[in-house]
Amino acid sequence: MIRAISRHLSSRAVTLLASTFYIGLLLNAAVIWRRAEAFPPGTPGWVQAGMTVAEVLLLLSLTGLLLSVAALAGRWSWRLVTSTMLLASAVCAYYMTRFNVVIGYGVLNAVFTTDHEMSGEVVGLWMGGWCLLFGVLPLVWLWRRESPCSLLGALGQRSRLGAWAGVFVLLGLGFLIGQKLHVWTGEAMAQAGDETVLRPSGSVAYAYVPTNWIVGAGLLASNTWQERINQARLVDPGRKFQYIPGTDLSDLVVVFVIGETARHDRFGMLGHDRPTTPRLAATPHVAGFAARSCDTATKLSLACMFVRPEGLESPTDLGPDRIFEDKVFAVYKRLGFHTELFAMQGEAGFYNRVHARSYKLKEMISAQPENAGRPVDDLMLLPEVTAALQRNEARARDGKAPGPVLLLLHTKGSHYLYTRRYPREFARWQPECMSTDEACSRETLLNSFDNSILFTDHVLAETIERLRTRKALLVYSSDHGESIDDNSHFHATPRRVAPPEQRQVPLIFWASDRFLADPVLAQGYRKLEARAAGPLRQQGTGHHNLFASMLGCIGVKSPDGGVTAAHNLCD
């Protein structure tokens, strides 16, 4: 068999081998090095070497297998598949190398379904040069080479069949050896107290190209299909349970502000040593929690953060939650709330599921005559809040029952590139990270990030000013956090292996004087304020509290279990 392989180690075989090592080894070099250096202190050298060698063997075996299968179908199949793998892997390798991003379901979900304007802000000259050097030029070389022979072309030649058989046997042996070595070294690390080691297939599938983006794309396709099926089957909690208001809600205004990428440890009112939230800190009846997000990417968090924890299932693997119930907005609709949504992002799938009577995206808002020439930032949401409240008052003047109002505001918040999220007058901390093409230090990134939080504080305070004379409750929480280090600024790492900062989010409440004039509402809100002033402010709270608190804090109870008391911060 070895002789058969050696006889046919032609230029075609060289092309296959070179492509395997280029995609599997060279494009992953930075990740391999980082993972080799990331072992806990005191890990034996043989364990470090064994784990690294095991992952490289697994990576090369899987990459070679994918390319070999593509070659079996013929020249054009080989070229199409290999070109796609090379270009996609080169793009992913850029972000993995420069920003230390873990490419997976969350990242691909964000790329294909989130606001493409903001996604485009991480594309710059450095990426263009990288893709030219590591993607386009190797692709030119590839197309000038002979393609590996197809299986059909080898059927009449025993030597070629023997060579193909040898290739698959060697790839299989490499995979088995790598898997066994990974298991043995993983057991050694587990005995030493490190419980973070993934199974071999999980390590390669999520750590390296091309398997990380292939697995992520597969999960994205299957979950998108499954989500469409499940959406029609979602249980309406408003039908499943009974919800009874404990007080008159007819003149109530609830505003929920969805933040973006804001971390609670950068909020001055939650312990940060910089005064990044001066206006909120000086506002009476503001209560804040250092909370935990339900996921690490916008679309994934929006899917789970407004659902009863009992209405979803978190898988044990690295996949997203499985949702079985509709969001809290379905209950608000049954309680008679008039819901409107205003967004500076483009999560239309989520917006279609909040039971809003109308919503405006940033394109619609910025296209209004009064916004001509204005910077497209979160301040554009404030006139929309004012107009929505005036429309509700106009209904009352026309003799129509105004009813309670729910306003949802989806902000740009602190999404990278942070300096584009705030006007220049909020650039308090210097120097800043001004461009995605800069090699930004941790200091400049955090300065820019803190400036964006300062601007968020201003937007929230101005929203409160528009609600101050009304019977109103405002709730703010970010969708997820962000990893920020030297030239590194990303999120969407699979939850099981995500750094803790990617799930650190603020959870802020504010109640107006008229809200607190209602004895029922005041009683619940005082309990929330007491919690925020106690030890639970720094632990135990998170997105899992939102469903119950958004109902419990407006005095809505459920005698048959629709509001879980343990999750209700106003209980």
Side-chain angles (χ1 to χ4, degrees), residues 148-161:
C149 62
S150 68
L151 181 61
L152 291 175
L155 286 178
Q157 304 178 44
R158 291 185 178 181
S159 59
R160 287 189 175 181
L161 284 174

Side-chain angles (χ1 to χ4, degrees), residues 207-274:
Y208 304 106
V209 295
T211 50
N212 54 8
W213 64 264
I214 292 175
V215 171
L219 283 173
L220 178 61
S222 63
N223 285 324
T224 301
W225 174 75
Q226 190 62 44
E227 183 181 352
R228 290 180 179 178
I229 296 176
N230 291 342
Q231 190 62 37
R233 302 175 181 173
L234 287 181
V235 174
D236 183 345
R239 290 179 177 271
K240 183 177 181 180
F241 302 102
Q242 185 179 10
Y243 293 93
I244 302 174
T247 187
D248 180 21
L249 302 179
S250 60
D251 57 347
L252 181 63
V253 177
V254 177
V255 177
F256 194 103
V257 183
I258 304 171
E260 173 64 53
T261 320
R263 279 169 39 177
H264 68 62
D265 65 327
R266 311 306 296 186
F267 270 56
M269 63 174 291
L270 294 176
H272 186 26
D273 56 4
R274 285 177 169 175

Side-chain angles (χ1 to χ4, degrees), residues 94-405:
Y94 169 76
Y95 292 102
M96 293 162 60
T97 301
R98 188 174 181 200
F99 301 126
N100 199 15
V101 178
V102 177
I103 303 293
Y105 174 82
V107 170
L108 292 177
N109 208 344
V111 169
F112 289 111
T113 63
T114 308
D115 193 317
H116 296 297
E117 177 188 332
M118 291 195 294
S119 298
E121 291 178 0
V122 298
V123 178
L125 295 176
W126 280 102
M127 180 188 172
W130 174 284
C131 291
L132 176 63
L133 182 62
F134 293 101
V136 176
L137 293 181
L139 188 63
V140 172
W141 175 87
L142 178 70
W143 277 75
R144 292 172 64 89
R145 301 282 301 182
E146 289 187 273
S147 303
C149 62
S150 68
L151 181 61
L152 291 175
L155 286 178
Q157 304 178 44
R158 291 185 178 181
S159 59
R160 287 189 175 181
L161 284 174
W164 272 119
V167 167
F168 284 108
V169 168
L170 288 179
L171 290 173
L173 285 174
F175 182 83
L176 290 175
I177 293 172
Q179 187 178 47
K180 287 295 183 183
L181 188 56
H182 196 287
V183 170
W184 291 337
T185 50
E187 289 174 351
M189 292 181 69
Q191 291 174 3
D194 187 352
E195 301 293 339
T196 62
V197 181
L198 294 174
R199 63 183 184 275
S201 58
S203 296
V204 175
Y206 289 94
Y208 304 106
V209 295
T211 50
N212 54 8
W213 64 264
I214 292 175
V215 171
L219 283 173
L220 178 61
S222 63
N223 285 324
T224 301
W225 174 75
Q226 190 62 44
E227 183 181 352
R228 290 180 179 178
I229 296 176
N230 291 342
Q231 190 62 37
R233 302 175 181 173
L234 287 181
V235 174
D236 183 345
R239 290 179 177 271
K240 183 177 181 180
F241 302 102
Q242 185 179 10
Y243 293 93
I244 302 174
T247 187
D248 180 21
L249 302 179
S250 60
D251 57 347
L252 181 63
V253 177
V254 177
V255 177
F256 194 103
V257 183
I258 304 171
E260 173 64 53
T261 320
R263 279 169 39 177
H264 68 62
D265 65 327
R266 311 306 296 186
F267 270 56
M269 63 174 291
L270 294 176
H272 186 26
D273 56 4
R274 285 177 169 175
T276 55
T277 54
R279 296 189 64 180
L280 287 177
T283 301
H285 312 311
V286 169
F289 298 86
R292 180 177 170 86
S293 68
C294 61
D295 219 309
T296 63
T298 301
K299 185 178 178 66
L300 301 182
S301 289
L302 291 178
C304 57
M305 64 190 288
F306 297 107
V307 178
R308 283 196 329 133
E310 299 86 353
L312 57 81
E313 178 182 315
S314 297
T316 56
D317 59 16
L318 301 183
D321 288 324
R322 289 185 282 273
I323 310 295
F324 306 113
E325 288 187 6
D326 206 351
K327 298 173 175 54
V328 69
F329 312 118
V331 181
Y332 266 70
K333 181 180 180 180
R334 291 192 173 276
L335 290 171
F337 276 80
H338 178 97
T339 301
E340 294 189 56
L341 181 146
F342 307 100
M344 300 308 294
Q345 294 201 46
E347 294 288 347
F350 167 73
Y351 305 151
N352 287 330
R353 296 191 288 272
V354 302
H355 302 278
R357 296 191 183 181
S358 64
Y359 64 75
K360 287 184 180 180
L361 305 184
K362 69 175 184 300
E363 292 83 2
M364 302 164 65
I365 296 173
S366 61
Q368 295 172 167
E370 62 270 23
N371 290 327
R374 287 185 56 195
V376 182
D377 57 32
D378 291 336
L379 287 177
M380 280 190 172
L381 295 171
L382 299 178
E384 300 298 335
V385 172
T386 301
L389 296 175
Q390 291 173 347
R391 283 193 294 272
N392 196 52
E393 293 169 352
R395 285 193 291 271
R397 291 195 297 270
D398 293 341
K400 302 175 183 178
V405 174

